[in-house]
C-alpha cells in the first residue's frame, strides 16, 4: 500500500497497476480532468502538477513542479499532490487572476500546466519571505516556464502574468475544510501524517501480478536486487517511464530507489566530492557550480525544471545514453563509480562503465550507489559545452567536457570527453595526445581538432549530421582555448549563445 495526500485529502492505494502514471490515475480513477496530456514524454508541460516533498531539515513541505505524464503513481508515497483542480476554490489564485488580466491564455490546452508551474513558483516565494522583497528575476521566470510549451500566445503575456502574480499573496477562503486557512499547503496535521508515512514501507501490487517495491534502506534494496534481478530499477523515471508511455511496454516489476536515504548522500572528504546516485539534478545544481562554475549553465539546460526536480544522477548514468549530459562531465573529472550489492561495493572509473550502446558493466544484482570526483586544484579548468537545436529542454547533439591542467601556458595534463560522438560517452584519446605536454595555443588546438577524426566516427541523425558533429567538436576545443585565455574569466562561463 502507498499513502499520500491529494489536494489536502489523504489517499491510500494498494491494488493498483504500478505502471500507471500520475496523470492517467488523476484522469481515469479520480476524474480530475484539469490536468492535460500533451506529449506523454515530459516535453510540453501540459500535465504539470505540484508535488510537496518533506524537507528533511524542517517540518515543512517543499513544492516542486513535476511532469505527471512520466511520473508513476508509486512515486507519490509520503508526498502531497496538488493539481490545477484545487484552484476552483474562491478566491482565485493570483496566478489565475493575472493570467486572465494579462490575456495569457488562448486555446487553453497548455494553460493548466503553465498555471501549475507558476503556482509552484508563487508558493516557493510565499514560503521564503526574503524572496518577496523583490519581484522574480527574468531568469527565474524563464526557468519556471522553460518546460511549458505554448503555441498560441508567445510568452510575453504569460511572463507579465507571472511577474504580477508573484507580487501578490494568496489566502484561500473556500467552503471546504481543506482550504479553510492560509497555510493549508503547510498544514501541520498533514505534515505529521506524511512524516509517519515516510517512516513506513510502501509497495503496490495489482491482480495481474505487477508490483512496485519501495525499499527504505540499502539492505532492503540489496536484498530485493538479488532476489529479483530481472526487476527494473526506477528513481525519477524521466527516462524509464518513456518505455511505458511511448513504447507501450508493461513493466512487471519495479524497484524504486528514491526512498533509500543512503543514495541521497552528499559529502566532501579527502579532497573528493561524493555524490549519491539518488541526488536530483536540482540538488546537484545547488552544489556542483560552487566547485566547477561550468556546471551552472549545463544543469540549467538539462531538461526542464520539471525534469530536474525528478531526474537523478544514477539514472542519467545507468540508462547509458550516448547523449546523457552528466557522464561526459564526470568522465572528464576522472570520476569513480560505486556499484553496490549483497556481494559488497565495487568501484571502477566511470569511463570504463560503458561498454556499447546502452550496455554497461552493471551486473543484474547490482545498483549504482554513487560517484566520487576529485575536487579542483590550482591551475585546473573544467569546461562544459552543450550544443542542441533548442536552448531549453532539449537533448544534446554534441556535448564537450574538457578538463585541463595548465602550467605556464602548457597543457601538463588533460581529459577530453564527448557525448553524442559515439555509441557511448567517450574520451578522445588521440586528441588528448595531441594536446598533452604542448603549448596551449591555436596550433595545438588545430592538431587536436584534426585528431578527432581518428577518435570518432559519429553518426548522422535527426539532431545533427556526422560532419556537423565533428566540426562542432573541434569548434568547442577552440572555444575552450578562448575561454581559458587571459582575457576571459572561467569563473563566469559564457552562455550557449556565445558559442553555439
Amino acid at each position: 500500500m502507498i499513502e499520500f495526500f491529494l489536494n489536502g485529502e489523504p489517499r491510500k492505494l494498494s491494488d493498483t497497476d504500478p505502471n500507471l502514471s500520475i496523470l492517467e490515475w488523476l484522469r481515469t480513477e479520480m476524474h480530475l480532468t484539469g490536468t492535460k496530456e500533451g506529449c506523454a514524454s515530459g516535453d510540453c508541460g501540459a500535465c504539470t502538477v505540484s508535488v510537496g516533498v518533506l524537507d528533511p531539515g524542517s517540518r515543512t513541505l517543499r513544492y516542486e513542479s513535476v511532469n505527471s505524464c512520466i511520473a508513476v503513481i508509486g512515486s507519490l508515497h509520503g508526498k502531497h499532490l496538488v493539481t490545477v483542480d484545487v484552484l476552483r476554490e474562491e478566491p482565485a489564485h493570483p496566478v489565475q487572476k493575472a493570467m486572465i488580466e494579462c490575456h495569457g491564455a488562448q486555446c487553453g490546452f497548455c494553460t493548466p500546466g503553465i498555471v501549475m508551474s507558476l503556482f509552484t513558483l508563487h508558493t516557493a516565494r510565499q514560503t521564503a519571505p526574503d524572496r518577496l522583497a523583490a519581484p522574480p528575476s527574468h531568469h527565474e521566470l524563464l526557468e519556471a516556464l522553460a518546460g511549458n510549451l505554448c503555441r498560441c500566445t508567445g510568452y510575453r503575456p504569460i511572463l507579465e502574468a507571472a511577474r504580477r502574480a508573484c507580487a501578490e499573496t494568496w489566502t484561500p477562503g473556500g467552503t471546504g475544510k481543506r482550504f479553510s486557512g492560509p497555510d493549508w499547503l503547510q498544514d501541520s496535521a498533514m505534515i505529521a501524517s506524511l512524516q509517519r508515512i515516510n517512516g513506513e514501507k510502501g509497495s503496490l501490487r495489482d491482480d495481474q501480478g505487477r508490483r512496485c517495491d519501495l525499499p527504505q534502506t540499502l539492505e532492503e534494496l540489496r536484498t530485493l536486487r538479488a532476489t529479483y534481478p530481472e526487476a527494473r530499477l526506477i528513481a525519477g523515471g524521466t527516462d524509464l517511464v518513456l518505455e511505458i508511455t511511448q513504447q507501450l511496454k508493461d513493466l512487471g516489476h519495479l524497484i524504486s530507489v528514491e526512498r533509500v536515504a543512503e543514495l541521497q548522500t552528499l559529502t566532501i572528504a579527502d579532497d573528493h566530492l561524493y555524490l549519491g546516485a539518488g541526488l536530483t539534478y536540482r540538488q546537484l545544481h545547488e552544489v556542483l557550480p560552487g566547485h566547477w562554475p561550468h556546471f551552472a549553465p549545463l544543469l540549467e539546460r538539462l531538461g526542464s525544471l520539471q525534469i530536474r526536480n525528478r531526474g537523478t544522477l544514477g539514472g542519467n548514468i545507468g540508462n547509458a545514453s550516448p547523449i546523457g549530459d552528466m557522464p561526459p562531465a564526470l568522465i572528464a573529472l576522472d570520476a569513480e563509480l560505486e556499484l553496490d550489492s549483497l556481494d559488497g561495493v565495487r568501484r571502477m572509473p566511470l569511463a570504463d562503465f560503458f561498454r556499447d550502446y546502452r550496455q554497461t558493466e552493471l551486473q543484474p544484482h547490482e545498483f549504482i550507489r554513487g560517484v566520487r570526483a576529485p575536487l579542483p586544484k590550482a591551475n585546473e579548468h573544467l569546461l562544459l559545452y552543450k550544443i542542441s537545436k533548442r536552448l531549453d529542454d532539449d537533448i544534446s547533439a554534441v556535448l564537450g567536457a574538457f578538463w585541463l591542467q595548465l602550467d605556464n601556458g602548457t597543457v601538463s595534463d588533460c581529459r577530453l570527453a564527448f557525448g553524442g560522438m559515439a555509441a557511448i560517452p567517450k574520451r578522445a584519446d588521440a586528441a588528448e595526445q595531441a594536446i598533452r605536454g604542448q603549448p596551449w595555443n591555436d596550433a595545438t588546438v588545430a592538431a587536436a581538432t584534426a585528431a578527432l577524426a581518428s577518435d570518432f566516427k559519429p553518426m548522422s541523425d535527426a539532431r545533427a549530421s556526422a560532419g556537423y558533429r565533428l566540426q562542432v567538436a573541434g569548434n568547442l576545443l577552440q572555444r575552450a582555448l578562448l575561454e581559458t585565455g587571459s582575457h576571459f574569466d572561467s569563473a563566469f562561463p559564457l552562455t550557449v549563445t556565445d558559442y553555439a
Side-chain angles (χ1 to χ4, degrees):
M1 181 176 66
I2 64 169
E3 296 183 65
F4 58 95
F5 278 72
L6 169 63
N7 294 333
E9 295 287 353
R11 298 287 172 184
K12 296 181 181 181
L13 298 178
S14 55
D15 184 12
T16 302
D17 179 4
N19 289 263
L20 202 64
S21 69
I22 295 173
L23 172 65
E24 189 174 356
W25 178 77
L26 284 171
R27 295 182 63 85
T28 62
E29 301 296 326
M30 300 306 297
H31 307 292
L32 295 175
T33 56
T35 307
K36 310 300 183 187
E37 177 179 287
C39 64
S41 60
D43 286 331
C44 74
C47 69
T48 301
V49 295
S50 190
V51 177
V53 181
L54 280 172
D55 187 334
S58 63
R59 286 178 54 87
T60 60
L61 291 172
R62 182 188 69 253
Y63 285 87
E64 302 173 340
S65 55
V66 169
N67 290 313
S68 63
C69 70
I70 55 170
V72 290
I73 191 68
S75 67
L76 289 177
H77 189 54
K79 299 175 183 177
H80 180 205
L81 171 62
V82 181
T83 73
V84 71
D85 309 272
V86 79
L87 301 183
R88 295 171 178 168
E89 298 288 325
E90 294 292 341
H93 191 276
V95 170
Q96 294 171 293
K97 182 169 174 281
M99 285 284 285
I100 294 170
E101 293 173 348
C102 297
H103 306 287
Q106 287 189 25
C107 82
F109 196 83
C110 65
T111 302
I114 290 172
V115 167
M116 291 312 296
S117 288
L118 295 180
F119 170 90
T120 306
L121 174 64
H122 182 275
T123 299
R125 293 180 64 82
Q126 295 296 310
T127 54
D130 56 308
R131 300 176 72 180
L132 294 177
S137 67
H138 188 66
H139 177 82
E140 190 176 2
L141 295 179
L142 291 181
E143 181 183 42
L145 289 167
N148 294 88
L149 301 183
C150 177
R151 293 174 174 84
C152 295
T153 68
Y155 286 87
R156 188 206 58 76
I158 298 172
L159 289 168
E160 179 57 33
R163 291 188 190 94
R164 186 177 300 188
C166 286
E168 297 184 25
T169 58
W170 182 49
T171 303
T175 58
K177 180 181 178 181
R178 59 189 176 186
F179 312 120
S180 60
D183 300 321
W184 73 275
L185 290 169
Q186 300 290 343
D187 180 75
S188 59
M190 177 173 65
I191 289 175
S193 294
L194 292 176
Q195 287 178 318
R196 172 190 60 77
I197 295 168
N198 275 278
E200 299 173 351
K201 292 183 180 181
S203 64
L204 278 177
R205 299 192 186 199
D206 70 0
D207 55 10
Q208 302 297 313
R210 292 169 292 209
R211 61 187 286 186
C212 177
D213 294 300
L214 290 84
Q216 289 184 289
T217 67
L218 273 179
E219 196 59 35
E220 290 174 0
L221 177 55
R222 289 171 182 146
T223 301
L224 282 167
R225 192 65 169 141
T227 306
Y228 305 102
E230 76 289 348
R232 304 293 297 275
L233 297 180
I234 184 170
T238 56
D239 186 75
L240 179 63
V241 178
L242 297 182
E243 295 187 22
I244 301 172
T245 64
Q246 304 295 297
Q247 301 176 32
L248 305 182
K249 289 184 178 180
D250 191 34
L251 305 183
H253 190 181
L254 297 172
I255 299 175
S256 172
V257 301
E258 71 170 305
R259 290 167 53 78
V260 180
E262 292 92 337
L263 300 187
Q264 308 289 328
T265 302
L266 196 160
T267 57
I268 298 176
D270 301 326
D271 298 324
H272 280 73
L273 180 65
Y274 182 85
L275 303 168
L279 293 172
T280 64
Y281 307 135
R282 179 191 58 78
Q283 292 170 311
L284 295 174
H285 191 271
E286 296 172 357
V287 177
L288 295 182
H291 301 285
W292 301 279
H294 263 241
F295 268 112
L298 176 67
L299 287 168
E300 286 180 358
R301 297 184 58 217
L302 201 163
S304 62
L305 186 59
Q306 290 96 317
I307 296 295
R308 294 194 293 276
N309 284 333
R310 293 287 301 157
T312 64
L313 176 63
N316 201 237
I317 294 171
N319 69 21
S321 170
I323 47 176
D325 288 345
M326 290 302 292
L330 294 171
I331 289 172
L333 286 174
D334 199 25
E336 180 183 66
L337 188 63
E338 192 173 78
L339 307 177
D340 202 328
S341 71
L342 282 178
D343 294 337
V345 174
R346 187 163 65 103
R347 297 180 177 88
M348 67 172 62
L350 179 59
D352 296 340
F353 179 67
F354 305 100
R355 290 194 298 196
D356 204 342
Y357 180 72
R358 299 281 189 173
Q359 296 180 24
T360 72
E361 294 292 331
L362 188 69
Q363 299 302 304
H365 65 292
E366 292 180 317
F367 57 90
I368 298 172
R369 179 168 174 174
V371 171
R372 280 169 52 92
L375 291 170
K377 299 178 182 177
N379 302 323
E380 291 183 3
H381 302 264
L382 179 68
L383 303 114
L384 307 174
Y385 304 120
K386 174 174 178 171
I387 301 299
S388 58
K389 287 186 174 182
R390 194 171 63 207
L391 179 64
D392 291 307
D393 196 15
D394 202 4
I395 296 171
S396 295
V398 176
L399 194 142
F402 312 138
W403 176 86
L404 303 169
Q405 188 175 62
L406 303 178
D407 292 317
N408 298 318
T410 298
V411 183
S412 57
D413 199 3
C414 67
R415 286 184 293 272
L416 312 177
F418 286 91
M421 296 288 287
I424 60 173
K426 183 175 177 292
R427 284 175 64 173
D429 296 330
E432 289 180 8
Q433 292 178 16
I435 289 178
R436 195 174 286 114
Q438 301 300 312
W440 187 226
N441 57 27
D442 286 323
T444 298
V445 168
T449 299
L452 288 173
S454 61
D455 282 316
F456 300 108
K457 305 296 180 187
M459 66 180 291
S460 296
D461 59 17
R463 295 188 181 90
S465 67
Y468 176 84
R469 285 186 160 106
L470 273 174
Q471 180 175 337
V472 164
N475 291 349
L476 295 183
L477 288 173
Q478 183 68 33
R479 175 71 270 169
L481 172 62
L482 291 173
E483 193 163 345
T484 52
S486 59
H487 54 292
F488 281 100
D489 184 351
S490 62
F492 298 95
L494 302 179
T495 65
V496 65
T497 53
D498 293 313
Y499 56 76

